[in-house]
Amino acid sequence: DVTVTDEEIQTEYEARKSEFSTPELRDVQQVVVQDQAVADKIVADVKAGKNFGEAVKAETQGEPVSLGQVTKEKLPADIADAVFALPADGVSEPLKSPFGIHVTHVQSIIPGTTKTLEDVKGEIRNSLALGRAAGTMESVREQLQDELAGGASLEEAAKKLQLHLQKIDAVDATGKDAAGTDLALSPDAVTLIFSTEPGDPSEISA
């Protein structure tokens, strides 16, 4: 009986949009130096035709450091905007941060994606319905508990609350009837049955 409207799904989608989004990734190399002249020369070498690794090695005798595939948030705030403004295979101008002077190389770009409402509509509908059903079941559980505590029999309480009452003639500790047929009871229900004294009502278990 649980219903979820399209308007509710739309609202939930907007509230949870970040869950359905994958941020842009950039495969970044960088070199960090403390001398502005060295940083300027690396950039000039790249503009003159050297690849980034060659330019870094020529000016520092070292290799660029690979940062791997990173999101914008993983980079130092001082350089993040500039790095994410570069095209694929682009090399930045010298960028300053508290760590020193960075020259970065974007090796490749993996675009971010966002699933559309249509992509996740069923998932959102199910999530909302399950949450609503859980709330409804808790309300029913409380009402049933009140009825039984007030002296009503299980049959009377079920009738009043419009619940389906199932009678099982026999069940063993494995959840099977006398003929050996599996009754499809949950393990928790079977445990509850066998922990309840004959003639007494059990606790209400969900």
Side-chain angles (χ1 to χ4, degrees), residues 13 20 114-121 124:
Y13 173 74
F20 308 122
T114 299
K115 292 181 180 178
T116 67
L117 176 59
E118 287 304 313
D119 291 334
V120 297
K121 192 171 186 178
I124 293 174

Side-chain angles (χ1 to χ4, degrees), residues 89-103:
D89 202 31
V91 174
S92 72
E93 296 295 325
L95 305 168
K96 292 183 179 180
S97 85
F99 301 104
I101 305 169
H102 304 245
V103 181

Side-chain angles (χ1 to χ4, degrees), residues 70-112:
V70 294
T71 60
K72 188 175 182 179
E73 289 69 27
K74 294 292 184 181
L75 294 173
D78 304 83
I79 71 170
D81 286 342
V83 173
F84 269 70
L86 290 170
D89 202 31
V91 174
S92 72
E93 296 295 325
L95 305 168
K96 292 183 179 180
S97 85
F99 301 104
I101 305 169
H102 304 245
V103 181
T104 63
H105 172 220
V106 175
Q107 297 189 94
S108 61
I109 298 172
I110 302 172

